[in-house]
Amino acid sequence: MNPKEDLSVSVRASLLRIYLGESDQVDHRPAFERVLEAAREHGLAGATVFRGASGFGANSVIHHGSLWRISQDLPILIEIVDHEAPIRSFLPVLRALLKGGGLVTLEPVEIVRYGASHPPPANAERASQ
């Protein structure tokens, strides 16, 4: 998706949601970091990682945030928005990274605005690198 596109008219796109646990690992690194890097390397329009306050998943164990616990395994949600074709072409990459763990959903969305609010800093890492 090109941020310079005129999106004064709404555009159909896809929303990819990836639900993970904070302690999930890929190659000895947090899984959410690897997914974020892979999405950027794949050239997707943008991604955001959210950390949940509590939740449970496939194992039905409720995970809570607490000041007294060091290892909390809180829920992590990654949202990626782009046109359907780039999202679908990313799914095999995601499958290979996660190797069966997590929950992945895909749904249609309507983009009503997209663009940078200000230029990135000169030293910012770019997706094209």
Side-chain angles (χ1 to χ4, degrees):
M1 191 173 304
N2 183 348
K4 298 185 188 301
E5 290 178 27
D6 177 15
L7 293 183
S8 55
V9 178
S10 65
V11 173
R12 301 264 177 230
S14 292
L15 169 62
L16 179 65
R17 286 189 174 132
I18 303 141
Y19 299 84
L20 301 169
E22 191 175 38
S23 66
D24 292 347
Q25 300 276 309
V26 173
D27 300 327
H28 308 290
R29 293 189 44 219
F32 71 89
E33 286 181 4
R34 287 294 299 125
V35 170
L36 194 66
E37 289 169 356
R40 190 176 73 170
E41 290 166 5
H42 198 75
L44 295 177
T48 303
V49 177
F50 301 93
R51 183 177 189 229
S54 65
F56 69 92
N59 63 11
S60 297
V61 174
I62 296 177
H63 300 275
H64 301 280
S66 168
L67 294 174
W68 310 114
R69 290 187 198 157
I70 294 173
S71 177
Q72 299 171 19
D73 196 24
L74 293 174
I76 297 288
L77 169 62
I78 305 168
E79 289 193 345
I80 302 172
V81 178
D82 205 330
H83 295 293
E84 183 177 4
I87 292 281
R88 289 205 177 269
S89 72
F90 181 64
L91 292 177
V93 174
L94 189 59
R95 269 188 216 102
L97 273 176
L98 299 181
K99 297 179 178 83
L103 170 68
V104 178
T105 65
L106 182 61
E107 60 189 89
V109 294
E110 182 178 353
I111 297 172
V112 296
R113 178 169 164 68
Y114 177 70
S117 57
H118 49 79
N123 63 348
E125 292 183 43
R126 306 235 175 160
S128 61
Q129 290 182 341

